Amino acid sequence: AGTYDAASGVGGPTGTLRFGVENQREQSRGVPASVQSLDFVIELYPSLSYADLYQLAGVVAVQVTGGPLIPFQMGRQDQSVADIPPDQLLPDASKGTASHLESVFSRMGFSTQ
């Protein structure tokens, strides 16, 4: 979801994390093991999209670590490897500034309010 661009409508939770090309990004360190650990869920529930599965995993992770209850709705469509969003849409940890994070989240439609 960190790749969503509200202005163009590209990126977002589309299930493309399952493709190796997206997991080779520096920002995706540690993601492949998490993604692989969820494969059995798709085998048990083949009608569940990868996009919904990854979002639900995030919701559960927040809750089990003491975070707030996040509403969840199903219905996301998986996209193909050709639909992987550009690399530069993800936050860049090396920039580490508040203004960089503000610009990233602003692009997603969030504000500092």
Side-chain angles (χ1 to χ4, degrees):
T3 59
Y4 181 66
D5 183 339
S8 66
V10 301
T14 60
T16 56
L17 281 175
R18 70 191 186 278
F19 301 121
V21 66
E22 188 162 4
N23 286 321
Q24 293 171 2
R25 295 176 175 173
E26 178 66 21
Q27 301 94 328
S28 297
R29 231 178 328 167
V31 171
S34 299
V35 167
Q36 290 172 354
S37 73
L38 295 170
D39 284 344
F40 81 96
V41 178
I42 293 293
E43 292 173 16
L44 292 172
Y45 304 98
S47 63
L48 179 66
S49 71
Y50 283 97
D52 277 340
L53 174 61
Y54 300 151
Q55 289 302 108
L56 180 59
V59 166
V60 171
V62 168
Q63 292 173 7
V64 300
T65 57
L69 178 65
I70 300 171
F72 176 78
Q73 291 184 327
M74 293 180 61
R76 292 164 191 82
Q77 299 295 312
D78 287 334
Q79 291 186 342
S80 71
V81 72
D83 297 313
I84 291 177
D87 190 24
Q88 66 271 17
L89 292 178
L90 292 169
D92 184 348
S94 70
K95 293 186 178 173
T97 64
S99 62
H100 171 64
L101 289 176
E102 186 176 2
S103 70
V104 168
F105 285 98
S106 174
R107 185 199 70 237
M108 290 184 229
F110 293 102
S111 75
T112 56
Q113 308 305 313

